[in-house]
């Protein structure tokens, strides 16, 4: 078995790369160790930068996104029981963001790959990457796949990251996690709410006009079973409280999970024929909504470099892939760190620390320059 490009992992990064390569006339095979049902239903991010939306449209994967996605023209910051709206188009020269769940992106890309693209092999576990061969196991049988290039889109726990020798690793663990819920209730807001509170951070997001996605800052190692539904809604009410008649809508909670907060980068993102993309190379805390968008940016950059190589024979863009991606990765890491430390309370938080946070929040609310800096990073840099 042979593929010009072997792709490990059928998340949005691997699937979008396969789609872009197919459109450019470059063959690929995608290997995914989970089954299709698992891949299409794992809950992940849902905020898309303008560049991510543009990439999905350009490759013909945005028909349902354009029909069902929710365009957002900003976010709301809440602190000191007051609200402040950031108008992204006014602050960024016209850019907005869109809410469309990662699960739906994956469903769209899987359907396109199976209908038009190269092989997409579910329940095929990659176990070794050598110079020009990938070994995987399917139905209990070892198989070998030859390639010109291999791309690791298999996340932090996949085999691709470990196949880069002498990689440099940078990481940070945060002393809190997020308790995230999905609820069958219409959103209580038109755009995302980021709340700074003496009780801790809270985020109100959404998945559709009828499904809300909300998060609470909780201690690490929190057991979701210790948070019955009424306790979650009461705590959200307290953290979103403002001196207006705004009301948080309550409804049945259908999913509940705790997500640790961490930052991680591995350098370089290339070794010989092997390229890393997405969570295999970097992880950000979700506060800045950058994880999915960074993964998409990686594969857009890589697809252009591969097309350039096959068209011209020049390796220039492949040789600069890692440096090009890492410049954007570190900008996103910093922005995610900024948003996280601005809005969360640490276990040893002092009144001085809180006043510094509030000072920065007031600066964003009062200064167009500070607001524009946040908006430009949130909506997505080039």
């Amino acid at each position: 078995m042979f593929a010009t490009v072997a792709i490990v992992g059928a998340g949005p990064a691997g699937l979008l790369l396969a789609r872009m390569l197919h459109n450019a006339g470059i063959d690929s095979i995608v290997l995914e160790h989970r089954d299709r049902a698992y891949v299409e239903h794992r809950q992940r991010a849902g905020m898309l930068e303008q560049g991510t939306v543009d990439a999905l449209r350009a490759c013909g994967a945005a028909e349902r996104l354009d029909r069902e996605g929710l365009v957002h023209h900003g976010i709301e910051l809440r602190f000191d029981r007051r609200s402040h709206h950031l108008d992204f188009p006014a602050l960024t020269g016209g850019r907005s963001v869109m809410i469309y769940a990662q699960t739906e992106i994956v469903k769209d890309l899987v359907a396109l790959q199976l209908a038009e693209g190269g092989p997409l092999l579910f329940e095929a576990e990659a176990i070794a990457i050598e110079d020009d061969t990938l070994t995987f196991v399917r139905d209990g049988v070892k198989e070998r796949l030859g390639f010109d290039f291999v791309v690791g889109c298999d996340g932090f726990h996949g085999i691709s990251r470990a196949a880069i020798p002498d990689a440099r690793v940078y990481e940070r663990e945060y002393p809190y996690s997020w308790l995230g819920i999905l609820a069958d209730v219409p959103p209580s807001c038109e755009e995302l709410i980021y709340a700074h509170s003496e009780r801790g951070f809270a985020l109100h997001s959404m998945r559709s006009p009828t499904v809300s996605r909300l998060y609470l800052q909780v201690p690490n190692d929190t057991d979701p079973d210790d948070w019955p539904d009424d306790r979650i809604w009461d705590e959200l009410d307290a953290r979103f409280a403002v001196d207006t008649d705004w009301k948080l809508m309550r409804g049945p909670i259908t999913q509940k999970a705790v997500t640790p907060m961490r930052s991680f980068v591995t350098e370089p993102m290339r070794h010989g024929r092997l390229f890393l993309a997405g969570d295999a190379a970097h992880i950000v805390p979700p506060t800045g909504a950058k994880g999915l968008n960074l993964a998409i940016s990686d594969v857009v950059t890589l697809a252009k470099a591969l097309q350039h190589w096959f068209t011209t024979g020049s390796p220039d863009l492949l040789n600069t892939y890692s440096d090009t991606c890492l410049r954007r990765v570190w900008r996103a890491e910093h922005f995610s760190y900024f948003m996280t430390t601005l809005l969360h309370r640490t276990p040893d938080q002092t009144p001085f620390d809180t006043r510094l946070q509030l000072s920065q929040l007031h600066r964003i609310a009062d200064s167009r320059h500070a607001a524009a800096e946040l908006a430009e990073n949130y909506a997505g840099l080039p």
Side-chain angles (χ1 to χ4, degrees), residues 78-82 193 195-203 214-216 227 230-243 246-248 250:
R78 287 194 178 182
F79 56 96
D80 276 351
R81 299 182 65 88
R82 290 182 290 171
I193 301 173
H196 175 281
S197 161
E198 291 186 356
R199 304 174 68 95
F201 169 75
L203 171 62
L214 302 104
Y215 300 92
L216 285 168
W227 283 80
D230 285 344
R231 182 186 179 192
I232 291 174
W233 288 119
D234 289 345
E235 189 63 26
L236 287 165
D237 252 330
R239 297 191 192 186
F240 286 126
V242 285
D243 293 330
W246 182 86
K247 182 179 180 180
L248 177 66
R250 300 187 178 206

Side-chain angles (χ1 to χ4, degrees), residues 83-377:
S83 300
H84 181 78
H85 180 255
L86 297 185
D87 184 336
F88 285 176
L91 293 165
T92 66
R95 282 181 291 147
S96 298
V97 297
M98 183 177 287
I99 300 297
Y100 188 68
Q102 178 173 315
T103 50
E104 305 310 309
I105 294 174
V106 169
K107 290 175 186 176
D108 296 341
L109 289 169
V110 165
L112 283 170
Q113 184 72 8
L114 294 176
E116 304 173 9
L120 168 53
L121 307 182
F122 291 105
E123 298 182 86
E125 182 181 5
I127 60 173
I129 297 174
E130 298 166 349
D131 288 342
D132 59 0
T133 306
L134 189 154
T135 303
F136 65 98
V137 177
R138 183 172 53 154
D139 297 328
V141 178
K142 281 188 180 182
E143 300 186 48
R144 293 168 67 83
L145 172 63
F147 56 76
D148 287 330
F149 300 100
V150 59
V151 184
C153 302
D154 50 345
F156 180 81
H157 297 290
I159 68 164
S160 302
R161 182 173 63 87
I164 294 187
D166 302 321
R168 300 180 300 277
V169 172
Y170 306 88
E171 55 189 328
R172 173 185 291 271
E173 302 284 344
Y174 293 85
Y176 33 73
S177 299
W178 277 11
L179 172 62
I181 65 165
L182 274 177
D184 285 339
V185 60
S188 305
C189 52
E190 294 184 357
E191 296 172 339
L192 274 64
I193 301 173
Y194 286 78
H196 175 281
S197 161
E198 291 186 356
R199 304 174 68 95
F201 169 75
L203 171 62
H204 192 319
S205 182
M206 59 209 67
R207 284 295 177 263
S208 75
T210 59
V211 177
S212 295
R213 182 75 159 151
L214 302 104
Y215 300 92
L216 285 168
Q217 175 189 346
V218 293
N220 288 338
D221 301 320
T222 291
D223 185 346
D225 291 338
D226 292 337
W227 283 80
D229 292 7
D230 285 344
R231 182 186 179 192
I232 291 174
W233 288 119
D234 289 345
E235 189 63 26
L236 287 165
D237 252 330
R239 297 191 192 186
F240 286 126
V242 285
D243 293 330
T244 68
D245 59 357
W246 182 86
K247 182 179 180 180
L248 177 66
M249 303 294 292
R250 300 187 178 206
I253 294 175
T254 59
Q255 291 188 25
K256 193 185 305 182
V258 170
T259 302
M261 306 282 283
R262 63 193 304 256
S263 300
F264 171 87
V265 180
T266 186
E267 297 184 5
M269 291 172 58
R270 178 199 181 181
H271 176 70
R273 301 168 184 253
L274 169 63
F275 297 81
L276 301 182
D279 287 359
H282 42 73
I283 294 172
V284 292
T287 325
K290 291 294 159 229
L292 169 62
N293 295 291
L294 278 179
I296 297 302
S297 176
D298 289 346
V299 297
V300 168
T301 302
L302 182 55
K304 290 178 180 177
L306 288 167
Q307 186 174 2
H308 183 71
W309 188 85
F310 282 105
T311 301
T312 69
S314 170
D316 290 351
L317 296 184
L318 291 173
N319 291 341
T320 59
Y321 166 76
S322 181
D323 290 341
T324 299
C325 289
L326 285 168
R327 283 196 295 273
R328 193 174 196 272
V329 166
W330 280 111
R331 176 87 298 275
E333 290 282 356
H334 182 268
F335 176 68
S336 299
Y337 168 82
F338 165 75
M339 290 287 286
T340 301
T341 55
L342 174 66
L343 294 164
H344 291 72
R345 293 182 62 85
T346 61
D348 58 350
Q349 181 112 342
T350 68
F352 184 87
D353 298 327
T354 301
R355 296 300 295 176
L356 288 178
Q357 290 176 322
L358 290 171
S359 174
Q360 182 61 47
L361 286 164
H362 281 288
R363 167 71 176 167
I364 294 166
D366 297 338
S367 165
R368 181 179 178 85
H369 294 294
E373 174 71 10
L374 191 156
E376 288 172 355
N377 280 273

